Amino acid sequence: SYFQFLFQPMEREIIAAFDEGNPEEVMSSAFKLKVTREDIHTLRNLQWLNDEIINFYMNLLMERNKQEGYPALYAFSTFFYPKLVAGGYKAVRRWTRGMDLFKQDLILVPIHLRVHWALVVIDVRRKSIRYFDSMGQKGDKICGTLFQYLQEESKEKRNLELSFSEWNLRSMESHEIPQQLNGSDCGVFMCKYADYISRDKPITFTQNNMPYFRRKMVWEIIHRQLL
């Protein structure tokens, strides 16, 4: 198959990236971000993904979605939500300079909960805000905080009130989305929720796909393109 034909050289590259070497060595840079060997090593099995890997991957998703036939996508950085919570709307007002959130189809907000990653998906087309958590935790409060942010943003940038009654906010139940079966794959789950959702695809992967997804992400980040 095409994949196996691709597989050997790819596998060799992935093994080389996981090798010991200078941890500071830059393995990939784009989007004003740098990913070092040390960052790439968080993609090894059972490691927790760090902000650098997640932010780079979110940018790859945005890049891909510029193509014809994909929903218009914007992904916030992992540093957005803590900043919003700490300082309110004023602290993040300028994050969307020159960018109209309300012209997007989908907005992704990665959420870092101390030792866990989750994802909020704002679907502007359907007026919904959904919380995706691979450990089945509830994020209703987080959805509410982000709705408030959208309200402020709408007032500030479009002089328009968003009506709460028109929007649907909810946490996805653990039986609705794939769940992790270990304590370390939340970051990969979050990235793959984002990947499937940003293609408007049903989320069909499972815990069993994680080792493969991790290796694939190494290749994608080093080559700055999604397979």
Side-chain angles (χ1 to χ4, degrees), residues 126-192:
R126 296 188 182 91
K127 298 198 169 152
S128 73
I129 300 181
R130 287 171 303 158
Y131 177 80
F132 289 75
D133 189 312
S134 54
M135 284 186 156
Q137 301 178 119
K138 292 260 175 280
D140 299 345
K141 206 167 149 261
I142 295 172
C143 291
T145 302
L146 286 166
F147 180 74
Q148 245 172 332
Y149 163 78
L150 277 186
Q151 273 182 315
E152 302 263 11
E153 179 80 355
S154 182
K155 270 193 297 224
E156 171 93 6
K157 305 279 165 79
R158 316 186 291 175
N159 226 336
L160 252 180
E161 287 278 349
L162 287 191
S163 138
F164 183 71
S165 61
E166 288 175 13
W167 282 72
N168 178 288
L169 279 58
R170 76 184 193 93
S171 299
M172 301 299 281
E173 301 281 339
S174 57
H175 64 86
E176 294 178 287
I177 54 172
Q179 298 288 289
Q180 67 187 94
L181 304 175
N182 63 25
S184 54
D185 281 330
C186 52
V188 190
F189 270 84
M190 187 197 71
C191 287
K192 297 313 282 189

Side-chain angles (χ1 to χ4, degrees), residues 71-83:
L73 177 71
Y74 185 75
F76 278 107
S77 139
T78 55
F79 304 113
F80 170 76
Y81 186 73
K83 193 114 186 156

